[in-house]
């Protein structure tokens, strides 16, 4: 539930004003520092980071997820700093030996990867230095699996540096691996928003299944890949009940089908729910345009590293409703840069009234 005394009216403007001022600070804090990138390159090379270096960057690239967006952004920044950075999908490799062969063939000088388990396990046979960026599910979820925990510990031992997007991620990692504390650097991630100028909101609504005549729809947008850790089903009953009370309220869940079995569960649930629409992933610029036109962006994740969707919504000056979890608390200050909630059924009772 919300904190005592919460009475935020969307038309009162104080939340939006807080967003305009608070978001600027949050986004500014999340800009990638050239000095910090230089530090990481120096950790890998052990010498002058100003000299060009050939890097291999491993990340999940097949689906349009937050990790892919992050990897592409960081890779582009590294290249703009005078280094060669080649992005490769971790799904291309079945064993560490395949990565080692690629490193030797292409003469890479170092490797970076996102995700301590998925990416890190492929680097265990590497004969060049490497650094790892925590993805979120590695520290929040995989860490609970004994076998994965063991693999990640070995990766930590051999890595030159590690990057956590939040202080909480670093603290969690330190609790399990105190020896790695000095290697872990906290660097909030950056985002870039480029809403499409050709995007048509009315056409988007109609294609999503929302047909409103003579009334304004209040669309809440949940941007997530369909997998259990994102927990989109957490919101369905609450928003469906809200829609029955106020037909102007809709929830659109938009993102790729990451977990096939779970996707079927979501589709079955949404099919029988009122006011809930399921939309496949969109190109980044169209997604940003949809976010900018929405009433608010919602996050329902069980755990997060640092949600790109939340940061993007803030950058677009769109109100944020986020599940009260450590990863979201790190970037959302309740009633200042967004609203945090435990129980979505209480959203209509917490002052989130929509008025004509």
């Amino acid at each position: 539930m919300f904190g005592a005394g919460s009475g935020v009216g969307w038309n009162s403007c104080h939340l939006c004003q807080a967003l305009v001022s608070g978001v600027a600070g949050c986004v500014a804090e999340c800009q990638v520092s050239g000095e910090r990138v230089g530090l990481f390159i120096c950790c890998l090379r052990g010498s002058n980071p100003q000299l060009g270096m050939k890097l291999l960057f491993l990340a999940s690239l097949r689906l349009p997820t937050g990790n892919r967006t992050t990897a592409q952004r960081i890779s582009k920044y590294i290249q703009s700093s005078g280094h060669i950075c080649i992005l490769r999908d971790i799904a291309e490799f079945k064993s560490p030996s395949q990565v080692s062969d690629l490193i030797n063939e292409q003469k890479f000088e170092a490797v970076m990867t996102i995700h301590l388990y998925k990416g890190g396990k492929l680097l265990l046979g590497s004969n060049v230095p490497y650094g790892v960026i925590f993805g979120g599910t590695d520290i929040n979820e995989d860490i609970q699996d004994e076998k994965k925990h063991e693999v990640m510990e070995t990766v930590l031992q051999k890595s030159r540096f590690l990057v956590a997007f939040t202080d909480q991620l670093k603290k969690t990692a330190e609790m399990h691996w105190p020896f790695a504390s000095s290697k872990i650097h906290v660097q909030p991630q950056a985002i870039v928003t480029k809403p499409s100028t050709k995007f048509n909101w009315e056409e988007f609504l109609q294609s999503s299944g929302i047909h409103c005549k003579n009334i304004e729809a209040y669309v809440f947008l949940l941007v997530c890949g369909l997998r259990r850790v994102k927990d989109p089903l957490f919101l369905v009953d609450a928003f469906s009940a809200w829609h029955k009370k106020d037909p102007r309220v809709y929830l659109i869940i938009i993102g790729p089908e990451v977990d096939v079995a779970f996707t079927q569960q979501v589709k079955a649930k949404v099919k029988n729910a009122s006011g809930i629409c399921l939309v496949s992933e969109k190109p980044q610029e169209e997604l940003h345009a949809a976010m900018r036109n929405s009433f608010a962006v919602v996050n329902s994740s069980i755990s997060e590293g640092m949600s790109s969707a939340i940061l993007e919504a803030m950058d677009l000056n769109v109100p944020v409703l986020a599940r009260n979890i450590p990863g979201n608390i790190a970037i959302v200050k309740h009633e200042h840069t967004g609203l945090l909630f435990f129980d979505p059924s209480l959203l209509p009772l917490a002052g989130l009234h929509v008025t004509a």
Side-chain angles (χ1 to χ4, degrees):
M1 59 185 295
F2 288 97
S6 173
V8 179
W10 289 98
N11 289 341
S12 67
C13 291
H14 93 265
L15 176 61
C16 291
Q17 290 172 353
L19 279 169
V20 171
S21 58
V23 170
C26 181
V27 172
E29 290 176 3
C30 293
Q31 297 306 306
V32 174
S33 163
E35 293 180 359
R36 185 60 63 88
V37 170
L39 169 64
F40 297 151
I41 297 297
C42 190
C43 286
L44 291 173
R45 162 164 275 165
S47 60
N48 189 349
Q50 300 303 321
L51 298 177
M53 193 174 190
K54 188 175 183 180
L55 296 169
L56 172 63
F57 198 153
L58 300 177
S60 296
L61 304 176
R62 287 188 300 174
L63 295 172
T65 61
N67 279 352
R68 186 177 81 170
T69 301
T70 298
Q72 291 172 336
R73 174 180 50 77
I74 295 176
S75 175
K76 183 178 180 179
Y77 188 89
I78 290 174
Q79 292 188 77
S80 70
S81 300
H83 306 283
I84 297 172
C85 187
I86 306 299
L87 265 178
R88 294 291 291 269
D89 190 348
I90 59 176
E92 297 178 39
F93 308 97
K94 296 181 180 180
S95 68
S97 61
Q98 290 182 322
V99 175
S100 294
D101 289 343
L102 177 65
I103 291 171
N104 294 329
E105 291 171 4
Q106 300 294 322
K107 300 187 185 309
F108 287 108
E109 298 175 71
V111 186
M112 291 180 66
T113 188
I114 296 179
H115 206 281
L116 188 58
Y117 179 70
K118 293 179 182 178
K121 67 180 180 179
L122 294 172
L123 302 180
L124 291 179
S126 172
N127 58 359
V128 298
Y130 62 81
V132 180
I133 301 168
F134 296 154
T137 54
D138 44 8
I139 303 301
N140 293 323
E141 308 294 332
D142 293 336
I143 208 168
Q144 301 172 42
D145 183 291
E146 185 177 347
K147 291 184 178 179
K148 292 181 179 180
H149 188 287
E150 184 177 344
V151 170
M152 291 191 290
E153 179 170 333
T154 304
V155 175
L156 279 163
Q157 290 173 335
K158 297 183 178 182
S159 66
R160 288 286 182 89
F161 70 85
L162 304 121
V163 178
F165 289 144
T166 67
D167 289 321
Q168 184 58 50
L169 277 181
K170 178 177 180 177
K171 290 177 182 177
T172 301
E174 289 174 332
M175 286 176 57
H176 290 263
W177 304 294
F179 68 87
S181 179
S182 62
K183 293 183 179 181
I184 304 173
H185 306 267
V186 177
Q187 174 64 58
Q189 70 166 325
I191 49 88
V192 177
T193 56
K194 295 181 179 179
S196 170
T197 57
K198 299 179 180 179
F199 181 78
N200 188 303
W201 177 241
E202 296 302 325
E203 290 182 1
F204 173 77
L205 293 182
Q206 291 180 14
S207 65
S208 300
I210 298 176
H211 304 280
C212 295
K213 293 183 177 180
N214 302 321
I215 62 170
E216 181 179 359
Y218 290 88
V219 177
F220 294 79
L221 202 64
L222 171 59
V223 182
C224 69
L226 298 184
R227 50 185 177 132
R228 294 185 186 281
V229 73
K230 297 302 181 181
D231 204 14
L233 295 179
F234 182 64
L235 300 176
V236 172
D237 288 340
F239 271 90
S240 183
W242 195 356
H243 174 77
K244 290 178 181 178
K245 293 180 180 179
D246 188 339
R248 298 172 299 173
V249 174
Y250 288 88
L251 173 67
I252 294 181
I253 303 171
I254 182 168
E257 299 180 3
V258 179
D259 182 326
V260 177
F262 182 66
T263 295
Q264 296 310 311
Q265 293 181 36
V266 174
K267 288 182 176 180
K269 181 76 173 181
V270 168
K271 183 178 181 180
N272 298 312
S274 302
I276 314 296
C277 305
L278 191 59
V279 178
S280 60
E281 69 270 20
K282 300 292 181 184
Q284 195 77 6
E285 292 186 357
E286 289 185 25
L287 177 61
H288 289 161
M291 292 170 71
R292 187 173 61 182
N293 281 276
S294 66
F295 189 62
V297 169
V298 194
N299 177 284
S300 60
S301 298
I302 294 171
S303 68
E304 285 281 3
M306 178 174 279
S307 170
S308 296
I310 288 179
L311 294 177
E312 289 165 352
M314 288 178 167
D315 191 44
L316 293 166
N317 289 333
V318 177
V320 171
L321 312 181
R323 192 169 181 171
N324 197 321
I325 57 173
N328 291 341
I329 292 173
I331 54 177
V332 177
K333 185 176 181 181
H334 184 55
E335 294 189 2
H336 289 274
T337 56
L339 297 180
L340 296 168
F341 64 88
F342 286 109
D343 184 351
S345 68
L346 298 180
L347 291 177
L349 303 178
L352 293 183
H353 52 274
V354 293
T355 56

